[in-house]
Amino acid sequence: MQITTKAGLIAVRWAMLAVMLAATPVAAHEIVGQVTPLMIHMKRALLLAENGKAQEAVAEARAVYEDFAHEMGMGMTMEGAGLKSTAAQIDRTFGTRLGESLEQSLQRNDADTLKKTIQELALLLMIEKFNALQASFGKDTVTLDTQRTMFWLGRNYFSYLLEPTLAAKDPIEEQRLDRMLDVMLYRLEDGEHQSFLDARRNLLGGITTAFRLTLPQQASAGIPRG
């Protein structure tokens, strides 16, 4: 079976996520739900760049620069968004120029810029999911289970792509930010939305400082100074 329509792909992704959410216990440092094929390739590129394998890192990113098809097993094929279209989506949302940075890093075989671009892309993808979650606050039509799913979709970008690097370089800060995410989840479950947003601001401030990333204005509102 080959699933090619956008609605079909979304249905498959959410169905897989729902099954994994039901089967996987929630704990710190744990990925809950779907890790997309693109996330797998992004992590490989990051690891290669961090280990000084510049050419391999660039080659890994080039392999998923355009949209691509990923075999899911059992005869199913998922059409995944590549780095190019994902960066373009984030650029439209946040007014960034990640697409340009990504293209230039590949043209110049610049693994350091590639690593920084992927890290910023991961952070903004997380923020995008948290913004969608925040927009659901106060809506009776959105259940807490759905909100938990939205939360984990965002958290996984940190846990899978950013947290391993931070754990190696600054384990104390990694543990602090991981606990911050736990606090966000608890506040979400308790319906304490303002406390959730306060923790979210502290989390983003910690990530941008740790990775020396600069957030665009659309994403940086509310981050405390200092």
Side-chain angles (χ1 to χ4, degrees):
M1 175 174 62
Q2 184 172 13
I3 302 171
T4 57
T5 64
K6 183 176 181 181
L9 292 175
I10 293 173
V12 168
R13 291 172 181 170
W14 280 89
M16 293 174 62
L17 180 60
V19 169
M20 297 183 74
L21 278 170
T24 308
V26 176
H29 311 288
E30 191 169 10
I31 304 299
V32 177
Q34 182 188 35
V35 172
T36 67
L38 181 61
M39 290 172 71
I40 294 172
H41 289 282
M42 289 169 68
K43 185 170 185 175
R44 288 177 182 169
L46 286 174
L47 290 174
L48 288 167
E50 289 168 359
N51 284 282
K53 298 182 178 179
Q55 292 184 350
E56 292 90 340
V58 171
E60 183 72 31
R62 282 190 179 132
V64 291
Y65 183 62
E66 302 288 349
D67 294 347
F68 60 98
H70 184 83
E71 297 295 332
M72 302 296 294
M74 296 186 294
M76 293 192 300
T77 301
M78 177 181 287
E79 293 184 351
L83 285 170
K84 181 179 180 180
S85 59
T86 301
Q89 171 212 323
I90 289 299
D91 285 346
R92 288 193 297 272
T93 301
F94 294 105
T96 50
R97 302 175 67 178
L98 294 184
E100 181 179 327
S101 177
L102 181 63
E103 184 176 0
Q104 290 180 351
S105 68
L106 296 182
Q107 289 176 348
R108 299 170 181 172
N109 294 318
D110 183 350
D112 289 337
T113 300
L114 174 65
K115 181 178 72 172
K116 186 67 71 177
T117 303
I118 291 178
Q119 289 174 338
E120 188 171 347
L121 182 60
L123 175 58
L124 291 176
L125 285 166
M126 183 188 76
I127 293 174
E128 183 184 50
K129 301 300 181 294
F130 285 166
N131 285 349
L133 171 58
Q134 183 178 338
S136 76
F137 290 170
K139 293 183 178 179
D140 295 335
T141 55
V142 182
T143 67
L144 179 57
D145 282 344
T146 299
Q147 290 179 325
R148 286 196 189 98
T149 299
M150 298 164 73
F151 170 81
W152 280 104
L153 284 172
R155 180 171 184 164
N156 284 347
Y157 282 105
F158 173 78
S159 301
Y160 189 72
L161 294 171
L162 301 176
E163 189 172 10
T165 297
L166 188 57
K169 296 181 177 179
D170 190 346
I172 294 177
E173 180 65 359
E174 177 267 329
Q175 291 177 21
R176 189 183 76 86
L177 296 182
D178 189 68
R179 287 196 297 271
M180 194 70 66
L181 281 158
D182 288 339
V183 169
M184 289 172 62
L185 178 59
Y186 301 150
R187 297 299 175 265
L188 172 67
E189 292 174 334
D190 292 340
E192 298 177 6
H193 295 156
Q194 186 55 54
S195 295
F196 174 94
L197 297 176
D198 291 342
R200 177 186 187 269
R201 284 193 291 273
N202 289 329
L203 172 76
L204 296 185
I207 294 175
T208 53
T209 299
F211 288 89
R212 299 181 180 179
L213 301 177
T214 302
L215 285 179
Q217 184 176 0
Q218 293 92 327
S220 61
I223 292 180
R225 298 179 182 276

